[in-house]
Amino acid sequence: MNNFASAAVDLVKVYGSGDTAVRALDGVTLGFPPAAFSAIMGPSGSGKSTLMHCLAGLDTATSGAALLGGKDLTRLSDNALTKVRRDRIGFVFQAFNLLPALTAEQNILLPLNLAGRTPDRGWYRRLVEVLGLVSRLKHRPSEMSGGQQQRVALARALITRPDVVFADEPTGNLDSTSSADVLNLLRQAVREFGQTIVMVTHDDRAASYADNVVRMADGRVVQAVAA
């Protein structure tokens, strides 16, 4: 599993205990290749979001391993895990999660500012140009469309050059045109930047943009297909 950017090894996640226990992940083993766009699909309650949250260090597995570049996140201290999430993982959410008082530029650079890191201005300029944000950098979220806000969220996720970007239903709040735009940008991030992207979605059309598709049901992988 060390050849994968992100991987699960016999990953189990149980919520609750006794008769009310829910086995959200039931021994999941799979890997996501580097510099590729992978999608995790499944109905509500299939475990797809739980799998992503465990792989991204946002939730703690009950047992098994959640690997990032071969490092097991389940064995890290809280402080070490916080540092890994900050420095090596990018996040894109359905709700954008932009800070309303900050401009697009300030939202994009926020992860670096929080880490006390100086921005690579060349990388920043390339990102905002590729994502079509040059004319929007001084705008606040309320002054942008949903598609533009999701572009800002994607730039924020990419600014640290993370090992993996995890995208949780990134087109869930967008119309069909903006959805296609964001999905094309995710593909572009893989093609032009060599980025690894793992996306959770319930939408077959969104998943069609991915190189690899994993389908889940009842906490297990039922199908894994390379496009």
Side-chain angles (χ1 to χ4, degrees), residues 20-219:
T20 62
V22 175
R23 203 172 181 87
L25 295 178
D26 191 10
V28 173
T29 297
L30 81 163
F32 296 101
F37 186 0
S38 301
I40 307 172
M41 295 197 71
S44 178
S46 63
K48 61 184 186 297
S49 290
T50 301
L51 174 60
M52 191 196 81
H53 291 161
C54 288
L55 290 175
L58 296 174
D59 201 353
T60 305
T62 302
S63 63
L67 305 177
L68 180 72
K71 177 178 287 188
D72 186 0
L73 302 186
T74 67
R75 297 181 179 274
L76 298 182
S77 67
D78 288 344
N79 286 342
L81 186 57
T82 297
K83 190 174 187 302
V84 166
R85 285 198 303 261
R86 185 187 68 201
D87 296 341
R88 299 181 57 190
I89 298 175
F91 299 99
V92 180
F93 300 98
Q94 179 176 338
F96 315 140
N97 288 7
L98 302 179
L99 295 184
L102 301 185
T103 64
E105 180 174 41
Q106 289 167 334
N107 269 290
I108 293 168
L109 295 176
L110 185 61
L112 295 177
N113 291 334
L114 291 175
R117 292 167 57 187
T118 302
D120 178 336
R121 302 309 297 190
W123 174 241
Y124 170 73
R125 284 194 298 271
R126 186 179 177 201
L127 271 183
V128 298
E129 287 170 3
V130 167
L131 296 177
L133 290 169
V134 174
S135 65
R136 296 289 178 177
L137 294 176
K138 302 306 179 185
H139 293 200
R140 288 180 170 79
S142 62
E143 300 169 315
M144 294 183 284
S145 69
Q148 289 164 347
Q149 289 183 64
Q150 195 60 296
R151 286 169 179 248
V152 173
L154 180 55
R156 180 185 59 189
L158 293 170
I159 192 66
T160 59
R161 302 193 189 204
D163 293 16
V164 183
V165 169
F166 290 99
D168 194 357
E169 299 280 6
T171 60
N173 284 338
L174 303 178
D175 59 38
S176 58
T177 301
S178 295
S179 294
D181 188 28
V182 167
L183 290 163
N184 277 317
L185 288 170
L186 290 172
R187 279 228 53 84
Q188 193 172 10
V190 173
R191 184 175 63 251
E192 293 197 19
F193 304 146
Q195 184 63 59
T196 303
I197 293 175
V198 177
M199 174 181 70
V200 164
T201 183
H202 66 278
D203 185 352
D204 282 304
R205 184 170 52 182
S208 71
Y209 285 76
D211 303 305
N212 312 289
V213 180
V214 173
R215 294 184 183 273
M216 296 188 66
D218 300 321

